[in-house]
Amino acid sequence: MHRQRPAQRPTLLALVLWIFCQVNSVRGALPTTQKCDEALASPLPHTAFTSSSVFSSGYAPGYAKLNRRGGAGGWSPLDSDHYQWLQVDLGSRRQVSAIATQGRYSSSDWTTQYRLLYSDTGRNWKPYHQDGNIWAFSGNSNSESAVRHELQQGIVARFLRLIPVAWSEEGRIGLRIEVYGCSYWADVINFDGQGVISYRFKVKKMKIIKDVIALRFKTSESEGVILHGEGQQGDYITLELRKAKLLLQINLGSNQYGTILGHTSVTTGSLLDDNHWHSVVIERYRRNVNFTLDGHTQHFRTNGEFDHLDLDYELSFGGMPYSGKPVGGGRKNFKGCMESINYNGDNITDLARRKKLDTSSFRNLSFTCVETHTFPVFFNATSFLQLPGRANHNTVSVGFQFRTWNPDGLLLFSNLDDGTLEISLEDGKIIIHINVTTAVKNYRVDLLSGSSLNDGQWHAVRLVAKENFAMLTVDGEEVSAVRSTSPLSITTGGTYHLGGYFLQTLFPPSQRSFQGCMQAILVDDQPADLHAVEKGTVGAFENISLDMCAIIDRCMPNHCEHGGRCKQTWDSFSCNCDGTGYNGATCHTSIHEPSCEAYKHLGRSSDTYWIDPDGSGPLGPFKVNCNMTEDKVWTTVMNNLPPRISITGSSRERRTVLQVNYSSSMDQVTAITTSAEHCEQQITYSCRMSRLLNTPDGTPYTWWVGRGSEKHFYWGGSGPGIQKCACGMDKSCIDPKYDCNCDADAKQWKEDSGLLTYKEHLPVSQVAVGDTNRLGSEAKLTVGPLRCHGDSNYWNAASFTTPSSYLHFATFQGETSADISFYFKTSAPYGVFLENLGNTDFIRLELKSPTVVSFSFDVGNGPVELTVHSATPLNDDQWHRVMAERNIKEAVLQVDQMYRTSRLAPAQGHTRLELFSQLYVGAAGGQRGFLGCIRALRMNGITLNLEERAKVTPGVMSGCQGHCTSFGMYCRNGGKCVERYNGYLCDCTTTAFNGPFCTKDVGGFFEAGTLVKYNFMPEPVPGASKDTKALTQQLMPNDVNLTKEDVTLSFSTSSAPAILMYVSSKTQDYLAVVLRHNGSLQVRYNLGGLREPFAIDVDQRNLANGQPHNINMSRLNRSISIQLDHYPPMNYKLPDASDIQFDLVKTLFLGKVYETGPIDPILIEQYNSPGFIGCLSRVQFNGVAPLKSALRKAADAQADSHPASASPVSYQGKLVQSNCGASPLTIPPMSTAPNPWPLDNTDAETPLNEERVIPNGVNRDSAIIGGIIAVVIFTILCTLVFLIRYMFRHKGTYHTNEAKGSGESATESADTAIIGTDNPETIDESKKEWFI
């Protein structure tokens, strides 16, 4: 089968919108009102309420309505014990969203804790689950206040039953309730295991690119096909139950050669044969699939390369079709009920009801759900069920079904007339022990059958024992039945205990109790009458739950991470982490260090080590070589390409593609290069008559593919965008006409070799060679290992210099599993390391005293605190390591690998950590603030960039070193502390301040017409080579688009109107800060999307009063914050219609605007003339200090210094440095991030009104004579230039070639990048070399 790959993938936005629409269309069975919150119980008649017992007629269940006072004011049972219940019949199936309770009116009777059961039929109850447990709701503490609980998982049921678990110590059980929800209706179809609904397509063959399939089902069978469709080309989709789990199999296509295998199989859910409703939604768009069961979604991509599901004829629901080739034999049809079946917007159940579909295979199609008649019994560790049987009979015949997770337990025990009978589960196997004692002889018969029967599935046990014969059958398999013909004589005792036996007996059972469920119980070949047992007329029981199986699969979803194997018992689960590279209760924490750098600082020498760069993240550990003998720590990743591998027979039309595979996955290698300070990879091309890069039409013969599947046309020793080899960079190629040795096409062996050092492109994953097909041509390729040094994550640090300083990050996402690790050093006795808050939930790590570290949190069960006590003080200004982990099993705190404490999580209770505030590193409230350094802070495998955040946060310094740790706080206003051998200095380069501590204002006085211009767009530098230009463009991209601005400036003036600051762009976008005619301050944003610019009137006062005023302004997306002087910041928001991106930022103007590009003519007309007259200072825009740069340039000009390289800043008119008078308030700059715009590629603008001054009094006659000589020389030079150009018009032509659409290559596979058709956009730059 052959298919074409789609030319273009849809955008993620289109996928989300489409799925949203489709999912909405399949929710017809659910209520359409916005809020499902109607009172459902209050309107019901008294007869809708029933109970286990009644204290007296005034306490009847009909009085148990919220806020009602009828009767005795509520329901109370005859006895207050754990067997009581209150039941409500809602009349029909309803969707229930909340429940509320009260105590009995004006009494001491209330319920403090209860459980909720629900059912469609009043039988086969299901307990409400939350956080992986049978949930116990907290009730009341008095008789009057109502306590309401929203159900996290909404339920659909007709009958509700409340089971009081705990009640008032002063009185008895008392209850009034209300149930909240709304109506529910759905088409239901009963499947009898024979019938199948066929949904025929309108055309014979369907080529489907997107699907939404939704349905709800319930069944007591563990096997059965729910839906199936297939095509003649081999495509298929099947949803089926297998061992009570839901299995989705899908194949979008495989090819006949076996190189593309499309089969994909995904399993979800467990225990789905509980005869309760389960909802399924399958959403597919191309190869992306969302598979949702009961609200839990798995996201996956199908295998293979095809996007369409090709189906023939039909899609069948309820089983395999009777026509068409089967995918596999032995599959059962579905037996049970389905409702709300929707396929791509078609309501299948409604179509079947209206007989629009083929239902001929049904014997009797029913649109009501036929209920099964099972009666399960639930046992815990203290339960037993006693049933009567025939006494003094010579045959024992018992049978039952059971399900459990425990490998051991007592299933049945009976005291025979002269011995004992025991059926137990031991190590997952059924064991029968029959002991008979007579006066003559003791008889013992032992039978064993089955294996791994503690898998949570229903298993049937049947035992028949009589004289000299016993037979055990498990799961009805007669072939595997175990028989015994040992001498045996049996006389029954007449009583059977199931699930537990706690009495004393001569031969006690090997097991005492059982945790699990039983059903279909047969005693002496008669079904047990469990209804009579429930009424108390037959048998006896203790601590059992009738008509309910409360089994929970604690391994679904699997909380064992990183491939850990989950193993469970009835009450808990455990994880086997062997061979995973992780440890802990859930295999969450990596046992390996993150880098070679970390191993070095553990005292390790050069060797091969396992590293795990993202710790507990999704990347697994892998091996690398660590070389620690040099000054730097080098990490080396080897590849499988043999050195000097020979290539022949390749051409530009049919290139030879060499795949370079590494000892680690591409994601793992990327983790190394991302955190490394420097990476390099040697690449060598040895050639004989084999050209490498430049060709006549500009397309290179050979290229290589790097990270992100991008093609690159430069070679080792060169840089991105420069199609040269190393010899071309230093002009040492054997033929100066070419930029690579191999491009000379010599008949002798030549070589082009060098280092690739642009780490964002590394490693090399493929090399395509294209010129070895001519006679005598040959090439040999060598790709060396990837080598990197440095680990920026390991050394990422911040210094907290004041008790109130802190860093803030996005909310920590660690709902069920969270790990935190970092290093700290301090001399302070206490301090909060970090904290994150929720409504009641929180997480906090703190140094509580010089020797105590505390880890505290709350997930809803109350605060928990773990503390570690160190034998030595931790505030010794030395590095100490803290590791904390919290998961649903336990919490652990460890300090310095020496001191460790742990705490088990409660067996019942909340498990999810729900936080909403920002994560604060340091004390956000200033209480017990941390003073010192924190380094390598990693949370759930992600290293927080403390250094970058510290650069824009007052009171926190980037990095942590000796002198700067203690004295760096003196570098103010964003100044950077620089370590020196004997001290430190403050680098004020990127700030708007000067002075030894970056506290001296830098200001300038503006006269009428004075302006400062700062170009963000680099302009060509005269004399620069094209290679330098290319590298400059690589490092300083031309297109500067902003979604964030930080602006600081101070001004004083007595004139208005005026433009203080204007930031232009290549588009119509701009930002302006202006003084209006009345002296009030206005900020104007024009980012597109609005008819008029968005104007903010900051203050209506006249600020042109000669006094200094200070402005701090920041914008992030739509949010704008402006602070004027000492007043509190004011927040504004861009309209929804406005764009949020400041496109193609071009130039910043101070004082006046002189712009040739797009401007706001109205703004210029009203405010630009005569210009700002006054003093500006502290001017900073996103880390750029334009006024400071302009004043420095003015000072250089006055000093008549050497002309420096081109600067982005220029000025016109007279600009005089001034301190601008007294400053209103010292406010740190909003940002001290490094300047992201070029600083050295802008030519100075020629002043418009420049006065020409003749220095040293050169007279006018001398000037005339000099001018005549200059004209003569200029004429001679022009003649020579014309002649040389004519003579050398064909010399030195240079071609560069770039693949068109390179921006899209990052999304393509490596194969696509190599094999895909090229449409190169050729840029022919004819560069002539001129020699005079």
Side-chain angles (χ1 to χ4, degrees):
M1 185 177 84
H2 176 72
R3 304 187 185 180
Q4 295 296 324
R5 216 180 271 184
Q8 186 178 1
R9 294 185 177 179
T11 63
L12 179 62
L13 177 62
L15 170 61
V16 171
L17 290 174
W18 180 84
I19 287 180
F20 176 78
C21 296
Q22 290 294 325
V23 171
N24 280 339
S25 71
V26 301
R27 290 181 176 171
L30 300 180
T32 57
T33 56
Q34 282 190 330
K35 197 168 185 181
C36 184
D37 197 32
E38 304 170 18
L40 302 180
S42 297
L44 297 173
H46 279 219
T47 54
F49 294 79
T50 54
S51 62
S52 53
S53 64
V54 177
F55 185 70
S56 67
S57 59
Y59 298 78
Y63 296 118
K65 297 182 179 181
L66 199 73
N67 296 321
R68 303 291 177 87
R69 302 180 182 181
W75 168 74
S76 285
L78 181 62
D79 299 311
S80 290
D81 56 34
H82 294 95
Y83 298 103
Q84 307 304 323
W85 46 264
L86 173 67
Q87 182 174 312
V88 183
D89 180 0
L90 299 177
S92 62
R93 293 174 68 199
R94 301 294 183 96
Q95 184 172 353
V96 179
S97 61
I99 188 166
T101 59
Q102 270 179 316
R104 193 171 61 80
Y105 174 70
S106 189
S107 72
S108 298
D109 304 340
W110 57 80
T111 300
T112 59
Q113 197 176 44
Y114 62 94
R115 288 194 170 93
L116 175 65
L117 312 181
Y118 58 96
S119 168
D120 280 355
T121 61
R123 295 184 53 193
N124 187 29
W125 296 91
K126 182 172 183 176
Y128 176 77
H129 290 182
Q130 186 172 308
D131 287 339
N133 293 300
I134 298 173
W135 196 246
F137 293 90
S138 57
N140 304 93
S141 56
N142 56 53
S143 62
E144 300 308 315
S145 60
V147 177
R148 171 171 167 150
H149 292 282
E150 306 293 331
L151 303 185
Q152 285 187 7
Q153 306 291 335
I155 59 175
V156 176
R158 174 179 174 179
F159 295 90
L160 300 179
R161 180 177 285 189
L162 277 73
I163 312 293
V165 175
W167 46 87
S168 167
E169 296 180 356
E170 306 166 12
R172 55 194 300 113
I173 295 173
L175 203 57
R176 287 179 287 171
I177 69 167
E178 183 59 87
V179 179
Y180 299 94
C182 50
S183 59
Y184 178 88
W185 180 88
D187 279 312
V188 180
I189 297 179
N190 187 77
F191 290 82
D192 56 7
Q194 300 294 325
V196 175
I197 293 178
S198 297
Y199 174 79
R200 296 288 175 87
F201 300 132
K202 296 178 181 179
V203 295
K204 182 178 180 182
K205 293 184 178 182
M206 291 290 289
K207 194 176 183 68
I208 309 165
I209 196 170
K210 53 190 177 184
D211 294 294
V212 172
I213 304 172
L215 57 89
R216 287 166 54 88
F217 73 90
K218 76 172 183 176
T219 181
S220 57
E221 302 291 325
S222 61
E223 309 280 336
V225 175
I226 296 176
L227 69 90
H228 176 79
E230 63 185 63
Q232 295 180 356
Q233 292 183 314
D235 292 20
Y236 53 80
I237 181 171
T238 304
L239 180 68
E240 64 179 311
L241 283 169
R242 202 174 279 186
K243 292 187 176 180
K245 297 182 180 181
L246 203 57
L247 173 65
L248 173 63
Q249 299 183 85
I250 187 169
N251 189 341
L252 300 184
S254 304
N255 64 3
Q256 57 185 340
Y257 308 108
T259 56
I260 300 176
L261 300 176
H263 174 76
T264 308
S265 178
V266 177
T267 301
T268 189
S270 178
L271 310 173
L272 300 178
D273 55 349
D274 58 359
N275 207 31
H276 288 280
W277 287 104
H278 300 280
S279 62
V280 183
V281 179
I282 302 170
E283 302 160 313
R284 182 187 69 86
Y285 190 81
R286 298 186 183 271
R287 293 172 56 200
N288 302 293
V289 182
N290 292 341
F291 185 22
T292 304
L293 173 66
D294 294 336
H296 299 286
T297 302
Q298 287 191 53
H299 309 274
F300 66 92
R301 279 175 63 85
T302 59
N303 297 324
E305 297 182 0
F306 302 120
D307 294 332
H308 292 80
L309 178 63
D310 295 340
L311 300 181
D312 295 342
Y313 305 110
E314 64 185 6
L315 191 68
S316 59
F317 294 87
M320 304 293 290
Y322 289 101
S323 60
K325 57 182 181 181
V327 175
R331 290 181 175 175
K332 294 182 178 179
N333 283 0
F334 176 78
K335 185 177 182 181
C337 303
M338 291 192 211
E339 68 177 18
S340 302
I341 307 174
N342 278 269
Y343 174 69
N344 286 349
D346 285 345
N347 189 329
I348 304 299
T349 42
D350 179 63
L351 292 174
R353 180 188 290 274
R354 293 189 288 117
K355 298 182 180 180
K356 299 292 185 180
L357 300 179
D358 180 10
T359 59
S360 58
S361 58
F362 282 85
R363 296 174 183 172
N364 182 20
L365 181 60
S366 172
F367 293 97
T368 58
C369 192
V370 178
E371 302 293 339
T372 59
H373 300 289
T374 58
F375 196 107
V377 182
F378 171 57
F379 298 85
N380 60 36
T382 61
S383 306
F384 72 85
L385 171 63
Q386 178 185 321
L387 295 176
R390 290 182 298 191
N392 300 316
H393 197 263
N394 62 358
T395 300
V396 172
S397 179
V398 294
F400 53 84
Q401 295 178 9
F402 75 93
R403 74 190 315 173
T404 185
W405 298 114
N406 291 353
D408 306 299
L410 177 65
L411 299 173
L412 182 144
F413 184 81
S414 177
N415 280 307
L416 303 177
D417 187 54
D418 48 4
T420 60
L421 165 66
E422 175 188 354
I423 304 178
S424 290
L425 188 66
E426 297 182 15
D427 194 24
K429 303 178 180 66
I430 295 294
I431 306 289
I432 306 292
H433 299 298
I434 303 176
N435 294 290
V436 177
T437 302
T438 64
V440 181
K441 190 176 180 181
N442 293 337
Y443 299 98
R444 180 179 177 90
V445 174
D446 295 322
L447 301 175
L448 183 148
S449 182
S451 64
S452 301
L453 300 177
N454 59 322
D455 58 358
Q457 304 297 313
W458 284 110
H459 297 285
V461 177
R462 189 82 167 90
L463 172 67
V464 176
K466 53 188 177 181
E467 187 172 359
N468 299 331
F469 175 80
M471 184 175 72
L472 169 65
T473 306
V474 176
D475 288 335
E477 297 177 359
E478 296 290 340
V479 178
S480 59
V482 180
R483 297 173 176 82
S484 171
T485 56
S486 301
L488 180 65
S489 177
I490 287 182
T491 304
T492 59
T495 302
Y496 296 89
H497 285 78
L498 289 92
Y501 188 82
F502 305 100
L503 303 176
Q504 297 298 321
T505 183
L506 183 61
F507 297 102
S510 59
Q511 309 287 334
R512 283 291 186 179
S513 63
F514 169 70
Q515 286 180 293
C517 302
M518 291 188 189
Q519 66 180 16
I521 301 172
L522 294 174
V523 175
D524 293 331
D525 290 330
Q526 296 298 317
D529 188 354
L530 296 179
H531 291 285
V533 173
E534 186 177 26
K535 295 175 183 177
T537 59
V538 172
F541 58 85
E542 183 75 31
N543 291 335
I544 65 172
S545 297
L546 294 167
D547 213 359
M548 178 179 73
C549 181
I551 186 171
I552 297 175
D553 190 342
R554 301 183 187 278
C555 289
M556 185 63 70
N558 186 4
H559 293 288
C560 301
E561 303 177 45
H562 301 110
R565 294 169 293 283
C566 183
K567 184 179 180 182
Q568 64 181 315
T569 62
W570 193 264
D571 297 318
S572 64
F573 73 93
S574 60
C575 297
N576 184 349
C577 308
D578 293 346
T580 63
Y582 299 84
N583 60 12
T586 58
C587 309
H588 180 79
T589 306
S590 178
I591 62 177
H592 305 290
E593 295 297 323
S595 64
C596 292
E597 193 89 20
Y599 279 111
K600 177 188 176 183
H601 289 83
L602 291 176
R604 305 290 180 85
S605 57
S606 299
D607 205 342
T608 300
Y609 294 100
W610 288 90
I611 66 170
D612 195 342
D614 69 340
S616 60
L619 295 180
F622 56 98
K623 275 187 175 182
V624 297
N625 294 325
C626 298
N627 185 359
M628 303 169 188
T629 59
E630 307 171 16
D631 294 338
K632 301 179 177 66
V633 180
W634 288 92
T635 302
T636 304
V637 183
M638 307 301 294
N639 61 60
N640 67 342
L641 193 69
R644 294 184 61 80
I645 184 171
S646 181
I647 306 110
T648 57
S650 63
S651 65
R652 288 177 53 205
E653 293 76 22
R654 191 182 182 89
R655 289 181 173 85
T656 298
V657 179
L658 300 174
Q659 188 75 31
V660 185
N661 297 316
Y662 292 83
S663 55
S664 310
S665 71
M666 192 57 65
D667 288 337
Q668 291 170 329
V669 176
T670 300
I672 294 177
T673 59
T674 300
S675 63
E677 296 175 7
H678 169 81
C679 290
E680 63 185 37
Q681 193 166 12
Q682 184 80 23
I683 188 166
T684 303
Y685 190 79
S686 300
C687 55
R688 184 174 61 186
M689 293 181 62
S690 177
R691 291 160 290 184
L692 181 59
L693 293 183
N694 291 337
T695 57
D697 65 353
T699 303
Y701 282 102
T702 296
W703 64 69
W704 57 278
V705 177
R707 191 170 86 199
S709 301
E710 295 182 53
K711 292 186 287 189
H712 302 292
F713 299 156
Y714 65 97
W715 204 246
S718 180
I722 304 173
Q723 192 170 308
K724 290 187 179 183
C725 299
C727 70
M729 296 297 291
D730 55 19
K731 306 297 182 183
S732 63
C733 297
I734 59 172
D735 188 336
K737 292 185 297 184
Y738 300 101
D739 293 315
C740 293
N741 291 320
C742 290
D743 289 339
D745 207 17
K747 296 183 179 180
Q748 300 80 25
W749 280 100
K750 302 297 178 183
E751 183 177 283
D752 283 301
S753 179
L755 289 174
L756 300 170
T757 59
Y758 192 72
K759 71 187 184 93
E760 283 72 16
H761 289 171
L762 297 178
V764 178
S765 61
Q766 289 178 337
V767 181
V769 181
D771 186 24
T772 60
N773 63 328
R774 294 175 294 157
L775 184 64
S777 61
E778 185 181 0
K780 294 181 180 180
L781 178 70
T782 301
V783 178
L786 176 70
R787 300 175 73 242
C788 299
H789 70 73
D791 183 0
S792 58
N793 289 338
Y794 187 74
W795 294 111
N796 195 298
S799 305
F800 297 81
T801 58
T802 64
S804 60
S805 58
Y806 62 88
L807 299 175
H808 59 87
F809 295 89
T811 305
F812 178 45
Q813 303 296 327
E815 287 191 348
T816 59
S817 191
D819 76 278
I820 305 169
S821 66
F822 59 90
Y823 295 86
F824 78 92
K825 71 172 182 176
T826 184
S827 55
Y830 56 80
V832 175
F833 296 124
L834 60 88
E835 63 181 347
N836 205 157
L837 306 178
N839 285 324
T840 57
D841 295 7
F842 72 90
I843 189 168
R844 180 184 297 114
L845 272 161
E846 180 179 4
L847 180 68
K848 300 204 79 169
S849 74
T851 59
V852 177
V853 174
S854 163
F855 175 39
S856 55
F857 59 88
D858 187 351
V859 296
N861 305 315
V864 177
E865 183 177 24
L866 284 75
T867 57
V868 163
H869 295 261
S870 170
T872 57
L874 299 172
N875 61 336
D876 56 358
D877 211 25
Q878 300 294 318
W879 287 112
H880 299 279
R881 188 177 189 183
V882 176
M883 292 185 291
E885 180 184 351
R886 179 261 151 195
N887 53 58
I888 66 174
K889 291 285 291 181
E890 65 177 2
V892 178
L893 175 63
Q894 185 170 337
V895 176
D896 286 343
Q897 311 258 344
M898 297 171 57
Y899 311 103
R900 185 181 188 274
T901 185
S902 63
R903 180 86 56 86
L904 292 176
Q908 301 285 328
H910 296 275
T911 61
R912 294 185 176 275
L913 179 66
E914 297 179 350
L915 307 173
F916 69 85
S917 75
Q918 291 181 313
L919 167 70
Y920 294 100
V921 181
Q927 301 296 320
R928 298 181 65 84
F930 176 72
L931 283 171
C933 295
I934 294 179
R935 175 168 65 83
L937 174 57
R938 176 173 293 182
M939 305 183 72
N940 273 0
I942 299 174
T943 300
L944 301 189
N945 197 336
L946 303 177
E947 293 184 348
E948 282 300 314
R949 190 56 58 92
K951 292 176 183 177
V952 295
T953 306
V956 187
M957 288 180 47
S958 176
C960 182
Q961 301 177 40
H963 297 296
C964 284
T965 301
S966 303
F967 305 106
M969 67 182 72
Y970 297 121
C971 293
R972 307 295 295 276
N973 300 309
K976 183 179 179 182
C977 177
V978 179
E979 291 283 347
R980 303 189 72 180
Y981 179 74
N982 57 351
Y984 72 102
L985 59 84
C986 293
D987 183 0
C988 311
T989 304
T990 59
T991 75
F993 296 81
N994 271 333
F997 305 109
C998 304
T999 55
K1000 181 181 177 182
D1001 277 10
V1002 176
F1005 186 80
F1006 287 61
E1007 295 182 351
T1010 302
L1011 68 87
V1012 172
K1013 177 179 179 182
Y1014 191 98
N1015 287 322
F1016 295 111
M1017 296 291 184
E1019 297 179 4
V1021 180
S1025 68
K1026 57 177 177 285
D1027 299 337
T1028 305
K1029 293 176 184 176
L1031 286 172
T1032 300
Q1033 291 175 358
Q1034 183 69 34
L1035 298 173
M1036 302 176 182
N1038 286 345
D1039 296 342
V1040 181
N1041 302 316
L1042 301 178
T1043 58
K1044 175 183 178 182
E1045 296 91 35
D1046 291 323
V1047 179
T1048 303
L1049 63 89
S1050 290
F1051 70 94
S1052 60
T1053 184
S1054 300
S1055 300
I1059 295 179
L1060 301 179
M1061 176 186 289
Y1062 185 99
V1063 184
S1064 68
S1065 70
K1066 287 188 174 181
T1067 65
Q1068 297 293 334
D1069 293 4
Y1070 73 85
L1071 161 64
V1073 181
V1074 300
L1075 283 176
R1076 303 174 69 188
H1077 292 79
N1078 60 1
S1080 63
L1081 184 68
Q1082 187 181 72
V1083 175
R1084 298 168 68 93
Y1085 264 105
N1086 186 30
L1087 303 184
L1090 301 177
R1091 293 184 177 180
E1092 299 291 335
F1094 180 67
I1096 301 172
D1097 293 322
V1098 180
D1099 200 316
Q1100 297 298 328
R1101 294 177 302 136
N1102 179 15
L1103 300 182
N1105 55 6
Q1107 297 298 316
H1109 298 282
N1110 194 77
I1111 304 169
N1112 277 304
M1113 183 177 75
S1114 64
R1115 178 185 75 93
L1116 178 61
N1117 296 329
R1118 298 191 186 281
S1119 301
I1120 302 173
S1121 175
I1122 302 177
Q1123 182 179 21
L1124 177 65
D1125 296 336
H1126 58 278
Y1127 297 103
M1130 300 296 292
N1131 296 318
Y1132 307 89
K1133 195 169 184 180
L1134 287 172
D1136 292 340
S1138 172
D1139 193 1
I1140 62 172
Q1141 183 165 282
F1142 197 165
D1143 294 324
L1144 302 179
V1145 176
K1146 181 183 177 186
T1147 308
L1148 180 147
F1149 294 89
L1150 298 174
K1152 192 171 184 178
V1153 179
Y1154 183 80
E1155 174 64 273
T1156 57
I1159 57 173
D1160 186 338
I1162 299 177
L1163 184 77
I1164 301 303
E1165 179 181 350
Q1166 292 182 353
Y1167 303 107
N1168 202 40
S1169 180
F1172 175 77
I1173 303 173
C1175 205
L1176 282 178
S1177 65
R1178 299 185 182 185
V1179 180
Q1180 194 157 1
F1181 179 88
N1182 279 10
V1184 175
L1187 180 58
K1188 181 179 176 180
S1189 300
L1191 288 167
R1192 185 182 298 118
K1193 185 169 185 177
D1196 292 341
Q1198 288 181 1
D1200 197 22
S1201 60
H1202 252 336
S1205 59
S1207 169
V1209 69
S1210 61
Y1211 67 95
Q1212 296 178 19
K1214 191 172 182 180
L1215 182 63
V1216 180
Q1217 186 164 344
S1218 171
N1219 62 5
C1220 293
S1223 298
L1225 186 65
T1226 301
I1227 299 178
M1230 300 298 288
S1231 171
T1232 59
N1235 179 11
W1237 295 288
L1239 296 177
D1240 56 358
N1241 274 17
T1242 307
D1243 293 330
E1245 295 289 335
T1246 303
L1248 294 178
N1249 300 315
E1250 186 180 22
E1251 295 181 7
R1252 300 196 59 182
V1253 179
I1254 303 174
N1256 302 325
V1258 177
N1259 62 41
R1260 190 169 180 271
D1261 294 336
S1262 300
I1264 294 174
I1265 296 171
I1268 294 172
I1269 296 174
V1271 171
V1272 174
I1273 295 175
F1274 181 78
T1275 304
I1276 296 171
L1277 289 177
C1278 290
T1279 305
L1280 289 173
V1281 167
F1282 179 81
L1283 293 174
I1284 294 171
R1285 181 174 181 179
Y1286 180 80
M1287 294 171 62
F1288 295 91
R1289 62 185 182 275
H1290 298 300
K1291 298 291 180 102
T1293 301
Y1294 177 74
H1295 301 274
T1296 60
N1297 306 278
E1298 283 292 334
K1300 188 175 183 180
S1302 60
E1304 300 177 0
S1305 63
T1307 62
E1308 299 178 352
S1309 66
D1311 292 334
T1312 307
I1314 290 292
I1315 302 172
T1317 303
D1318 294 306
N1319 293 313
E1321 181 183 278
T1322 302
I1323 304 171
D1324 188 355
E1325 301 179 14
S1326 297
K1327 305 293 184 181
K1328 313 301 190 291
E1329 298 181 3
W1330 301 71
F1331 300 93
I1332 301 175

